[in-house]
Amino acid sequence: GMGVPQDDREAARLYRLAAEQGLASAQFSYALFCSSGRGGLPQDDAEAARLYRLAAEQGVADAQHNLAMLCSLGRGIPQDDREAVRLFGFAAEEGYVDAQHNLAVFCEEGRGIPQDIGEAARYYRLAAEQGFAEAQFFYGISCEHGKGVPQDMGEAARY
């Protein structure tokens, strides 16, 4: 810890107390502990999903993204690609790079949303501009082959 010895059990206890009072950042942090079984907690994706949802509803992009991941995988909650797309969208619009990349993949594959290569390219570009390597690769391919964007070999070479 910062100025005190690290104590995951005490951190989990304090995060839980603050989460119960509605503090979004604590809900997110406690969800991370639940998801990983950290701090002496049993690993519990259902509890993590519940807490991520509470934080996501308060606009925490990390929570929106992590809840979207659980939705897409069906971990702790029923599998639901449409809900995953909705949540990725919120986080992506906040500039959350992992959500931008994941939303691009879902748009490209038509998972939870009608396939839209143009939207996929747009989200790949947003993530690529933030230095996300896999998004740079796929945006470069989009530019090289004119997938969802006008073909542009110069832009392809940039990525």
Side-chain angles (χ1 to χ4, degrees):
M2 296 174 60
V4 296
Q6 183 173 332
D7 184 343
D8 280 356
R9 286 184 188 274
E10 180 65 1
R13 185 184 76 78
L14 294 170
Y15 285 147
R16 181 182 53 78
L17 290 173
E20 288 171 354
Q21 294 179 52
L23 184 64
S25 58
Q27 291 164 338
F28 173 74
S29 294
Y30 191 59
L32 288 173
F33 275 54
C34 291
S35 182
S36 65
R38 198 169 151 200
L41 299 173
Q43 195 279 330
D44 186 346
D45 284 331
E47 179 65 359
R50 184 185 76 78
L51 291 158
Y52 284 141
R53 185 167 305 283
L54 292 172
E57 288 169 354
Q58 295 181 67
V60 177
D62 291 325
Q64 293 163 341
H65 174 264
N66 288 11
L67 182 58
M69 291 300 297
L70 292 179
C71 285
S72 73
L73 299 169
R75 285 184 44 197
I77 50 178
Q79 198 277 336
D80 185 344
D81 282 344
R82 283 194 309 211
E83 177 67 357
V85 165
R86 187 180 77 82
L87 291 162
F88 282 141
F90 289 141
E93 293 307 319
E94 291 296 319
Y96 195 84
V97 69
D98 290 333
Q100 292 169 338
H101 175 260
N102 288 330
L103 189 53
V105 171
F106 276 55
C107 289
E108 185 172 24
E109 295 177 356
R111 282 185 63 190
I113 191 171
Q115 186 180 38
D116 187 334
I117 302 302
E119 276 296 281
R122 183 172 86 84
Y123 283 109
Y124 280 136
R125 181 184 52 76
L126 289 172
E129 288 173 349
Q130 293 192 66
F132 196 96
E134 192 172 336
Q136 291 171 334
F137 173 75
F138 285 113
Y139 184 62
I141 288 173
S142 296
C143 292
E144 179 182 3
H145 298 285
K147 286 179 53 182
V149 293
Q151 187 176 23
D152 183 336
M153 298 308 278
E155 183 76 348
R158 261 189 61 211
Y159 289 98

